[in-house]
Amino acid sequence: MNSEKSIIQIAKQTIEAESNAIFNLSNLITDDFAEAVKLIYNSKGRVVITGIGKSAIIANKIAATLNSTGTPSIFMHAADAIHGDLGLILKDDVVIFISKSGNTPEIQVLVPLIKNAKNKMIAITGNKDSFLGQQVDYVLNAFVEKEACPNNLAPTTSTTAQLVMGDALAVCLLEMRGFSSKDFAKYHPGGSLGKKLYLRVNDISSVNEKPKVSGATSVKDVIVEISEKRLGVTAVVENDEIIGIVTDGDIRRMLSNSDNFTILKAVDIMSANPKSVKGEIMAVDALEIMETNEITQLLVEENGKYAGVVHLHDLIKEGII
């Protein structure tokens, strides 16, 4: 049973079993789901998400997803709640319980306590007829026929279904709030994801060297400028306006094609009408332009004037790629 073929077969069966169960969730969406979304959207409080065991891990993830998409949320472990953490819940908070069976002892103790406090309650459960399903205001049915585990014991398909139901909640709330990429960037300032959302070209080009020559600059001085500024390129400008670009590649082609380059000027070897971008565009958009045009540098303009260079290596360094 440990052959490569059998391992691959088991993996495929697991994925297929879970994907089929997830697909079936769309048939379980009812008016309770819509009402639950509207309840959270109109709430003046937070969303408190609780569970026990593997469901607690899923609850933690859903809380994180809601927080990152504009719905303030906290995770509260169901076992800790009945040993002091119940004080986390404020009067306007909406409480989401996550439980496959809906009948675990901790849930049975916790539900009446929260109900007495008159907080609205939502259940994500695989058993809508359970104790939990009968006590809450709205039930989000996450029923699965069986776990991917061959013994139908280890929470696998059921926890995946819970997570997907939580994602559906988060996305619906995101849409209702008109949550934009700019909003998303506020909550994700770190790492490559954050940089893709907020880093602009001028954030990079403003700290780079600013190589430039005039059209009349000798080839020797062009080479010196490219070497000193170490960006593999120089802009050719007149009155601060870009008229061309000279790259390392242009220099190599010149050396291959000319026996006497000492008489040549920048204007003789430059590429006219080079690709340029405005400094305020997103760095990730500059990357797309580079990839589309198969180039490694872009000149930067501000108000029609030459403002610098952004290089592919800058984007790699910043984690944009």
Side-chain angles (χ1 to χ4, degrees), residues 71-143:
T71 300
S73 307
I74 59 170
F75 165 70
M76 178 184 69
H77 197 283
D80 293 336
I82 58 178
H83 292 283
D85 279 4
L86 200 58
L88 286 171
I89 303 175
L90 305 178
K91 71 182 184 73
D92 291 323
D93 290 344
V94 175
V95 181
I96 298 178
F97 296 85
I98 302 181
S99 172
K100 178 187 176 181
S101 70
N103 291 313
T104 55
E106 292 84 359
I107 294 295
Q108 291 188 6
V109 172
L110 185 56
V111 166
L113 298 174
I114 295 175
K115 194 168 187 176
N116 288 339
K118 302 190 183 309
N119 290 89
K120 291 293 185 181
M121 298 185 294
I122 299 167
I124 298 178
T125 181
N127 184 3
K128 61 186 179 63
D129 297 320
S130 63
F131 171 83
L132 176 63
Q134 295 298 312
Q135 295 295 316
V136 298
D137 297 285
Y138 303 109
V139 176
L140 310 187
N141 192 350
F143 171 77

Side-chain angles (χ1 to χ4, degrees), residues 230-243:
R230 297 188 297 181
L231 288 169
V233 65
T234 183
V236 184
V237 301
E238 297 293 346
N239 299 318
D240 283 333
E241 293 183 1
I242 299 169
I243 63 169

Side-chain angles (χ1 to χ4, degrees), residues 177-246:
R177 297 185 194 284
F179 197 81
S180 68
S181 59
K182 290 183 179 179
D183 296 316
F184 200 80
K186 289 192 299 184
Y187 296 106
H188 299 78
S192 61
L193 177 59
K195 289 181 178 180
K196 286 180 181 179
L197 292 167
Y198 74 79
L199 191 69
R200 298 184 183 275
V201 165
N202 54 18
D203 295 325
I204 298 172
S205 63
S206 62
V207 297
N208 274 347
E209 295 282 1
K210 190 178 173 182
K212 65 176 181 178
V213 297
S214 70
T217 301
S218 69
V219 164
K220 177 184 176 181
D221 289 337
V222 169
I223 295 173
V224 170
E225 181 71 359
I226 292 175
S227 299
E228 287 183 348
K229 301 301 170 58
R230 297 188 297 181
L231 288 169
V233 65
T234 183
V236 184
V237 301
E238 297 293 346
N239 299 318
D240 283 333
E241 293 183 1
I242 299 169
I243 63 169
I245 188 172
V246 179

Side-chain angles (χ1 to χ4, degrees), residues 249-261 264 269:
D250 293 323
I251 298 297
R252 288 192 296 271
R253 282 186 289 274
M254 176 204 67
L255 293 173
S256 297
N257 299 328
S258 177
D259 293 327
N260 184 13
F261 60 84
L264 298 177
I269 64 171

